[in-house]
Amino acid sequence: MSSDLENGKDGVDDRSSLVRAAQYVRMSTDHQKYSTENQSEYIAFYAAQRGYEIVRTYADEGKSGLRIDGREAVKRLLSDVESGRADFSALLIYDVSRLGRFQNTDEAAEFELRCKRAGVTIHYCAEQFENDGSMMAGLFKAFKRSMAGEYSRELSVKVHAGQTRLIELGFRQGGAPGFGLRRQLVDENLQPKGELAAGQHKSIQTDRVILVPGPPEEVAVVQAIYRGFVEHDRSEREIAEDLNRRGLRTDLGRPWTRGTVHQILINEKYIGNNVWNRTSFRLKQAHIRNSREKWIRRNCAFTQIVDAGLFARVQAIIAQRSIRLTDAQMLDVLKALLNQHGALSGLIIDESEDCPSSSAYRNRFGGLLRAYSLVGFTPPQDYGYLEINKELRRLHPKIISDILTGIGQVGGSAMLNPVTDLVRVNDEFTLSIVLARYRQTGTGAARWHIKIDHQLRPDITVAVRMDADNRAPMDYYLLPHLSLGDAFLRLCDHNGLGFDAYRVPSLESLFALSRRAKLRKAA
């Protein structure tokens, strides 16, 4: 910052006339392009030029912008503003993305509205628009918020692809090694560099982590667990009780339980397989247990400490437990477990001596959620959207087929690309058909999220808004190609002329675009 600016020569000289303001700064990692110091410097320049005095700073350092949770500074800011403790009337933020990269832009809008109602106006110092409440400011903010969320989504896709590649190369991606194993740091040439202790992480980007056998005494315990289960017909609980009597503890220093023994018996890392993506927490939205076909694996990536044949015998015994039971019997056991605990989870199931494993319920009923619903249990978090998405994937080919039929009935030609799902009409333009699930906000307002995929560059995106039951189309948006890059559109019941001009109650207008007309031959 220049000395002239600090002395107020180009800014506002009379400090008594300055408007009291707070600043909010945030960064996700230490490697981020815009550090909190850089943000503060630009905000100070903005304040000097506009007549603001920064009297308070709220900083979230090393915090993701995907959610409010975990960002103590922004929570404290809202508390100060809404409680009347705030001694400022303006809030200065570097740009829209620093407030958050919410996947639901309504969260950012709600934050700003709460501040505004409390008499605190927000200014985005580095943006090319004034946050003055005008229609253009609203449009720019909506677009910027969508792009901020889209940036995180695209980054998530890239990170997932990079992690998948590393798993397939045989490298470990996070998580504790487990009892009997250790994390080994290797360089880019796969040369060992040392063992990583609990809580330690690699510090050089090109270094990688693999799993290696742990101390011989731990390896011997793991092998004894497998032999006891197969050769001596001992249950997981009996093995756990024996380990505890011997004074042994798990890798986390805790007593052994049926569940911890069970996890050792079913984890493929003990036969050297590198398996990842069993569960996912993409964009910090919801923990999801992925189906087996989505798992990423590399067999024989590490040195095995359990014989593969012995491991296979263990899996056969565990699978046989549920094979002997009918569907009704498995559900009766689950219902009894629910009555005993008042709730269900994978951990509760795996800790129960007389209950098939959680994986057995997933395999038999197509997922734990399905099994839960059959015994009348609803988890605290609503996962119903998973079933809705499954139904929408089933409807998608039918809707595409209906569009192909409708175009053909008016004399047009349409061809579906089976790889991209783009429909080419009359060899003139392409269509992308997107189904938008109906969802409700916490206040009961209707929302539809639409992904515009510009990598495929469709000429028209046919956005199908589903009805409240997500069973049939409610209406359609015929959206022409926009040069805005990939984007999410978040629609509500009424979206203003800018978007609702593209809304149609049926696809007749789309079919009319495809209609071929005979031209009279020129004289």
Side-chain angles (χ1 to χ4, degrees), residues 92-256:
L92 308 184
I93 305 176
Y94 180 80
D95 64 13
V96 169
S97 71
R98 294 303 88 201
L99 178 58
R101 295 188 182 276
F102 304 107
Q103 296 305 291
N104 184 345
T105 56
D106 291 340
E107 292 186 63
E110 179 192 24
F111 179 94
E112 185 167 330
L113 180 61
R114 290 169 67 178
C115 289
K116 185 175 181 180
R117 283 175 174 170
V120 175
T121 59
I122 294 180
H123 301 267
Y124 300 108
C125 305
E127 298 289 6
Q128 300 300 310
F129 63 88
E130 293 289 340
N131 193 20
D132 55 7
S134 66
M135 182 182 71
M136 290 305 297
L139 288 174
F140 275 121
K141 279 191 297 184
F143 175 73
K144 287 283 191 174
R145 288 166 180 163
S146 293
M147 290 301 98
E150 181 65 6
Y151 171 85
S152 291
R153 191 199 69 82
E154 288 184 346
L155 183 60
S156 173
V157 171
K158 294 175 182 176
V159 169
H160 186 271
Q163 289 177 317
T164 296
R165 176 60 177 159
L166 291 174
I167 289 294
E168 291 172 341
L169 290 173
F171 300 120
R172 180 78 170 171
Q173 288 296 292
F179 187 85
L181 297 169
R182 294 294 186 269
R183 294 180 302 149
Q184 172 74 59
L185 187 68
V186 297
D187 63 19
E188 56 187 327
N189 298 315
L190 304 183
Q191 295 302 307
K193 297 184 64 175
E195 184 180 292
L196 290 175
Q200 286 185 330
H201 303 280
K202 70 184 188 74
S203 57
I204 301 177
Q205 188 172 8
T206 55
D207 285 349
R208 297 289 178 250
V209 177
I210 61 173
L211 292 183
V212 296
E217 58 272 19
E218 286 191 20
V219 173
V221 169
V222 172
Q223 294 169 343
I225 289 174
Y226 275 81
R227 288 196 304 271
F229 186 81
V230 173
E231 299 171 3
H232 303 291
D233 197 26
R234 304 179 68 189
S235 69
E236 292 100 319
R237 190 170 300 282
E238 289 173 335
I239 295 173
E241 291 172 350
D242 179 63
L243 293 172
N244 289 329
R245 278 195 301 268
R246 294 163 55 189
L248 298 177
R249 290 293 182 262
T250 69
D251 56 310
L252 299 178
R254 300 169 182 169
W256 292 87

Side-chain angles (χ1 to χ4, degrees), residues 380-520:
Q381 184 168 352
D382 182 15
Y383 290 99
Y385 70 92
L386 297 176
E387 293 297 325
I388 294 173
N389 288 346
K390 185 185 300 183
E391 179 65 15
L392 293 184
R393 286 193 294 270
R394 188 188 66 80
L395 286 174
H396 191 256
K398 181 181 182 301
I399 292 178
I400 291 180
S401 177
D402 291 344
I403 291 176
L404 295 177
T405 300
I407 292 173
Q409 288 176 345
V410 298
S413 66
M415 181 174 296
L416 174 67
N417 185 322
V419 176
T420 63
D421 272 347
L422 284 182
V423 176
R424 186 162 188 82
V425 181
N426 297 331
D427 283 329
E428 295 173 348
F429 61 92
T430 56
L431 305 174
S432 174
I433 293 87
V434 179
L435 273 59
R437 171 169 63 91
Y438 173 90
R439 61 188 77 191
Q440 283 188 334
T441 66
T443 60
R447 292 290 185 271
W448 293 264
H449 294 180
I450 300 169
K451 172 67 170 63
I452 305 297
D453 192 346
H454 286 287
Q455 289 185 343
L456 298 177
R457 301 188 64 81
D459 295 301
I460 298 176
T461 296
V462 181
V464 185
R465 288 207 306 183
M466 302 302 291
D467 62 15
D469 296 323
N470 283 300
R471 295 186 179 276
M474 182 182 76
D475 56 18
Y476 308 84
Y477 278 74
L478 305 183
L479 302 171
H481 174 72
L482 302 175
S483 299
L484 300 177
D486 287 354
F488 277 113
L489 299 179
R490 292 172 171 83
L491 302 182
C492 52
D493 284 318
H494 304 287
N495 305 282
L497 183 61
F499 279 113
D500 283 347
Y502 299 111
R503 188 184 71 83
V504 293
S506 71
L507 292 176
E508 294 303 319
S509 56
L510 174 65
F511 299 151
L513 288 175
S514 311
R515 182 176 290 113
R516 312 300 286 169
K518 292 184 178 181
L519 298 177
R520 297 172 61 185

Side-chain angles (χ1 to χ4, degrees), residues 325-353:
L325 299 177
T326 66
D327 289 0
Q329 289 171 329
M330 286 186 68
L331 292 176
D332 286 342
V333 173
L334 194 62
K335 188 176 296 184
L337 199 62
L338 173 61
N339 292 334
Q340 178 184 350
H341 293 274
L344 292 173
S345 69
L347 180 61
I348 290 175
I349 293 172
D350 288 336
E351 287 289 357
S352 175
E353 183 70 41

Side-chain angles (χ1 to χ4, degrees), residues 302-318:
F302 314 127
T303 301
Q304 65 179 32
I305 64 174
V306 173
D307 178 75
L310 182 60
F311 183 86
R313 292 170 64 187
V314 168
Q315 307 321 303
I317 293 172
I318 292 175

